[in-house]
């Protein structure tokens, strides 16, 4: 391997959410009133979805080059370099082409979602999404005061599936205006097949609904798995929005630039009009994201292989020590969605339990994911394997001490 993913990097004093924001984010305790059995530097951070890996050298070099220019005045995207790089990436990786005139930019897919839910749904219209769900799908709906409809996924033999019958029924409600679709799905890691995507697209079209396809995790899959953008299935369906960014899989969430491809010209205009940054972007972000799309593939491939091995390790550890969990490696993402509820006393608060009893910070359960998540824990495996080994050992000890499921 050209890159060293085993390296442990100290993120203290970098204002990192993962290091310094966990009390507030996980436990709602910004002032640090809660006390924990572990000291701050003893925790292993397996929570929020950014990586403990250094960014690709090509990205760091592109940033340095832009910094060396020395001027960081008002900036947005005027020439075609960045959109061409992004479009070429989509063509090469997904054999997908789209109309570049439809791209809008946002600091993040979540800020874009906050805006789009309000742009698309009238006050009495509803937002639908699959559960368990990434928390911000709920927060964006709540922020806009829009009612939510949960399409519960089904969990059988370690695998998550869609409930198409329920989906068809929920979409038939004329007040259900928007499906927020997640592919690859966070937190389960499911990549939807062509057949599944076609079925969802049919239901959406039959009910004349909008769909926002959040594909932020699309650049990373297990070996042999392919991502299919919803745009490839739905083509220029006017009510499709596709959200992608190099931020997630190249570990640049803090740089904040995402691509929001909005087919409907009216919604596109509303989105632009609602942009509180009035179209300006960070010059460093543009340089970094362009470098990722143009030169980052080798790093991405190696990182993906490293994380594949972390998944194999976790699966074998759980299989040997906690077989009741029946963990299956997900198709995509660097997140393992693990049913620790199968081995813990009923009603255990998994976030508090693993923080206090194992010194491992995770996100899990209905408190941090939306609905259908009880007992499940999301483990971030984009970190050096040596850290994962320590975390798994501590979690096993904690579970054994707790005496198992009663
Ligand atoms: C499905 C999904 N959408 C969006 C985001 C965050 O997007 P952004 O950082 O671009 O706002 C995440 C982060 O984990 C995510 O998992």
């Amino acid at each position: 391997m050209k890159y060293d993913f085993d390296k442990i990097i100290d993120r203290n004093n970098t204002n990192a959410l993962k290091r310094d924001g966990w009390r507030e984010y996980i436990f709602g305790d910004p002032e640090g009133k809660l006390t924990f059995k572990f000291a701050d530097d003893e925790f292993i951070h397996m929570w929020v979805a950014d990586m403990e890996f250094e960014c690709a050298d090509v990205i760091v070099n592109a940033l340095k080059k832009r910094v060396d220019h020395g001027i960081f005045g008002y900036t947005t995207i005027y020439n075609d370099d960045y959109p061409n790089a992004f479009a070429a990436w989509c063509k090469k990786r997904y054999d997908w082409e789209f109309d570049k005139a439809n791209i809008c930019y946002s600091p993040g897919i979540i800020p874009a979602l906050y805006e789009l839910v309000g742009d698309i749904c009238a006050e009495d219209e509803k937002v639908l999404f699959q559960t368990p769900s990434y928390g911000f799908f709920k927060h964006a709906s709540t922020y806009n005061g829009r009612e939510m409809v949960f399409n519960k996924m089904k969990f059988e033999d370690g695998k998550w599936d869609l409930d198409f019958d329920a989906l068809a029924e929920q979409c038939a409600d004329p007040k259900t205006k928007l499906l927020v679709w997640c592919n690859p799905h966070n937190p389960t890691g499911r990549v939807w097949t062509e057949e599944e995507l076609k079925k969802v697209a049919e239901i959406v079209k039959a009910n004349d609904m909008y769909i926002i396809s959040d594909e932020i995790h699309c650049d990373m899959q297990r070996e042999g798995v392919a991502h299919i953008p919803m745009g490839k299935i739905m083509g220029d369906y006017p009510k499709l929005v596709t959200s992608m960014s190099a931020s997630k899989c190249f570990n640049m969430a803090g740089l904040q630039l995402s691509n929001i491809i909005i087919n409907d010209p009216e919604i596109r205009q509303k989105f632009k009009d609602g942009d509180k940054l009035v179209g300006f972007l960070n010059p460093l972000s543009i340089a970094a994201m362009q470098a990722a799309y143009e030169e980052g593939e080798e790093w991405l491939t190696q990182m993906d292989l490293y994380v594949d091995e972390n998944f194999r390790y976790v699966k074998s550890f759980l299989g040997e020590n906690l077989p009741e969990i029946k963990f299956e490696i997900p198709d995509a993402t660097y997140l393992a969605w693990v049913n620790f509820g199968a081995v813990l006393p009923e009603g255990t608060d998994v976030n508090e339990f693993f923080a206090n009893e194992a010194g491992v910070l995770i996100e899990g359960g209905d408190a941090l994911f939306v609905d259908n998540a009880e007992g499940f824990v999301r483990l971030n495996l984009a970190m050096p394997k040596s850290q994962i080994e320590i975390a798994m050992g501590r979690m096993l000890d904690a579970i054994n001490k707790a005496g198992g499921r009663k």
Side-chain angles (χ1 to χ4, degrees):
M1 281 224 182
K2 181 171 156 193
Y3 299 100
D4 181 8
F5 299 106
D6 287 326
K7 189 164 147 190
I8 296 175
I9 299 170
D10 180 0
R11 292 178 72 180
N12 286 320
N13 297 317
T14 61
N15 283 314
L17 169 66
K18 207 180 220 170
R19 279 297 168 286
D20 298 330
W22 59 271
R23 280 191 174 75
E24 177 168 9
Y25 191 103
I26 305 178
F27 299 106
D29 177 36
E31 284 154 25
K33 288 187 182 145
L34 295 175
T35 50
F36 291 86
K37 293 181 188 167
F38 285 77
D40 273 20
D41 59 4
E42 290 174 325
F43 280 107
I44 296 182
H45 295 254
M46 298 185 90
W47 69 290
V48 66
D50 68 23
M51 306 178 183
E52 298 297 286
F53 305 140
E54 227 163 26
C55 247
D57 51 354
V58 290
I59 295 175
V60 175
N61 291 339
L63 282 165
K64 283 181 182 161
K65 193 171 160 209
R66 185 63 188 84
V67 166
D68 283 344
H69 181 262
I71 295 182
F72 312 104
Y74 291 116
T75 304
T76 189
I77 290 172
Y78 292 106
N79 69 32
D80 285 339
D81 295 349
Y82 174 79
N84 283 347
F86 170 54
W89 177 263
C90 290
K91 173 71 184 152
K92 181 175 178 206
R93 304 239 342 158
Y94 313 120
D95 190 27
W96 178 48
E97 287 171 88
F98 54 86
D99 186 347
K100 279 182 275 176
N102 296 351
I103 312 180
C104 298
Y105 301 102
S106 165
I109 285 172
I110 293 313
L113 189 64
Y114 272 64
E115 174 64 35
L116 284 164
V117 167
D119 290 346
I120 292 171
C121 296
E123 277 176 19
D124 63 341
E125 289 173 334
K126 304 176 195 173
V127 183
L128 169 68
F129 46 85
Q130 272 67 37
T131 62
S133 162
Y134 174 55
F136 280 91
F137 290 4
K138 173 177 167 182
H139 306 326
S141 310
T142 310
Y143 171 84
N144 284 286
R146 304 302 189 258
E147 197 179 317
M148 290 172 281
V149 183
F150 300 153
N151 177 240
K152 279 183 200 291
M153 286 164 64
K154 296 186 284 193
F155 182 62
E156 258 168 53
D157 297 328
K159 196 165 173 276
W160 287 88
D161 275 312
L162 286 173
D163 184 341
F164 283 104
D165 292 338
L167 184 68
E169 216 170 282
Q170 290 164 327
C171 290
D173 174 352
K175 288 289 173 198
T176 310
K177 179 81 170 285
L178 169 66
L179 170 63
V180 181
W181 176 247
C182 196
N183 183 30
H185 183 262
N186 176 11
T188 67
R190 262 296 246 115
V191 166
W192 307 111
T193 64
E194 186 172 352
E195 198 192 341
E196 288 167 328
L197 292 171
K198 281 184 172 159
K199 273 173 136 174
V200 171
E202 263 170 41
I203 295 173
V204 166
K205 282 183 180 174
N207 294 287
D208 196 28
M209 286 170 64
Y210 279 86
I211 171 167
I212 298 176
S213 188
D214 179 339
E215 303 183 19
I216 194 171
H217 289 277
C218 70
D219 295 326
M220 184 176 179
Q221 299 88 26
R222 302 289 85 70
E223 252 185 315
V225 179
H227 171 74
I228 306 173
M230 192 48 124
K232 226 176 139 174
I233 304 289
M234 300 190 92
D236 53 9
Y237 177 66
K239 296 189 173 176
L240 169 67
V241 177
T242 303
S243 304
M244 288 184 174
S245 175
S247 63
K248 185 66 43 188
C249 298
F250 286 94
N251 203 23
M252 302 188 279
L255 282 175
Q256 303 199 311
L257 177 62
S258 63
N259 315 303
I260 315 294
I261 306 168
I262 306 177
N263 288 359
D264 181 341
E266 205 178 304
I267 296 296
R268 197 160 60 241
Q269 194 53 51
K270 259 193 183 178
F271 181 80
K272 286 181 181 172
D273 292 345
D275 178 4
K276 295 184 181 63
L277 302 176
V278 293
F280 292 124
L281 301 172
N282 182 327
L284 297 181
S285 310
I286 302 169
M289 303 273 169
Q290 189 176 324
Y293 289 135
E294 287 178 346
E295 305 169 77
E297 197 167 30
E298 187 190 14
W299 180 91
L300 184 69
T301 306
Q302 291 196 8
M303 186 275 296
D304 219 343
L305 290 172
Y306 186 92
V307 172
D308 280 358
E309 172 52 29
N310 285 349
F311 271 110
R312 282 192 291 273
Y313 165 73
V314 167
K315 179 166 167 59
S316 120
F317 183 93
L318 293 174
E320 268 168 39
N321 297 292
L322 298 164
E324 306 90 316
I325 285 182
K326 295 193 178 79
F327 172 68
E328 292 296 333
I329 295 175
D331 307 320
T333 77
Y334 46 85
L335 308 164
W337 185 238
V338 187
N339 184 12
F340 280 108
V343 291
L344 284 171
E346 213 169 333
T348 301
D349 174 340
V350 286
N351 301 303
E352 189 279 325
F353 175 78
F354 285 116
N356 258 318
E357 307 306 327
V360 178
L361 295 171
I362 51 90
E363 288 172 77
D366 282 349
L368 289 173
F369 294 90
V370 187
D371 182 52
N372 208 9
E374 218 37 69
F376 278 81
V377 164
R378 197 183 73 172
L379 299 176
N380 182 338
L381 302 189
M383 64 193 304
K385 188 177 174 194
S386 59
Q387 296 285 288
I388 298 176
E389 287 169 346
I390 297 170
M392 295 309 291
R394 287 199 208 158
M395 289 169 91
L396 177 63
D397 285 350
I399 290 165
N400 286 338
K401 277 191 201 135
R405 184 139 187 110
K406 291 179 190 103

